[in-house]
Amino acid sequence: GKFDYGKLESTILFAILDEISRRYDVVHLDLPTMWFPWVDNLLLGSDRILVTGTYNIPSVKRLATKMHYLGSLNISADRVAAVINHTEVRLFGGGVVRRSDVISALPGVKVLFVRRDDKAALEATNAGRAIAQSGGGRGLKKDVKQVGEWMDIAQQDRTSAGLKTAA
């Protein structure tokens, strides 16, 4: 059957996360598209929040709405980034959505673009490897690396403070 996130008992979830965070330095949570009331506590307790979307107008509008919501929770902008997946990379532009349009639609938000590279993704999938371990996709690897580096800042800050990270 299908899992109903709306019926998730938050006290059980947070007890499990507390145990996990005692063991691991970084905890990555992939949340459902629809945010339930218990998600607020997860977001408030996170060192870094990546909100993902794709490179199209409806997705960027949804991202803007989620960023506004995070702001209403008083979550500091330096803890939040938008990752725009499937970014079109063209030599002379010409796409419907431009990077500058995305950035202006998400003011005050760190925006990270991850290019669309179907060939590199298919090659990695067929080889059973992560994209970072595959032969091609140099630009895609660079984009994914920038996301990891942004996340690492929280890890470094917490490590220097002697704390563990939940991301």
Side-chain angles (χ1 to χ4, degrees), residues 4 17 21 24 29 31 41 44 46 56 58 62 66 69 86 101 106 112 117-118 124-125 143 150-151:
D4 184 356
L17 288 174
S21 67
Y24 298 99
L29 303 173
L31 299 176
N41 286 334
L44 290 166
S46 296
N56 60 57
R62 284 189 298 273
K66 286 192 175 184
Y69 181 73
H86 302 287
D101 294 334
L106 300 168
L112 304 166
D117 189 338
D118 294 335
T125 301
D143 295 346
W150 184 80
M151 294 295 296

Side-chain angles (χ1 to χ4, degrees), residues 21 24-26 44-48 79 151-167:
S21 67
Y24 298 99
D25 292 331
V26 176
L44 290 166
S46 296
D47 296 317
R48 291 285 195 201
R79 292 175 42 207
M151 294 295 296
D152 282 346
I153 293 169
Q155 170 83 17
Q156 293 164 4
D157 292 346
R158 301 266 311 183
T159 301
S160 65
L163 303 170
K164 290 195 173 201
T165 303

Side-chain angles (χ1 to χ4, degrees), residues 65-128:
T65 300
K66 286 192 175 184
M67 293 302 176
H68 180 73
Y69 181 73
L70 292 171
S72 75
L73 293 176
N74 294 318
I75 294 174
S76 173
D78 66 338
R79 292 175 42 207
V80 179
V83 177
I84 310 297
N85 292 307
H86 302 287
T87 301
E88 297 292 329
V89 179
R90 295 185 180 154
L91 188 57
F92 299 107
V96 174
V97 180
R98 295 185 314 244
R99 287 181 182 223
S100 60
D101 294 334
V102 173
I103 292 168
S104 64
L106 300 168
V109 175
K110 173 74 172 173
V111 180
L112 304 166
F113 294 93
V114 177
R115 73 191 71 211
R116 180 182 192 131
D117 189 338
D118 294 335
K119 182 180 176 188
L122 182 61
E123 180 183 311
T125 301
N126 287 339

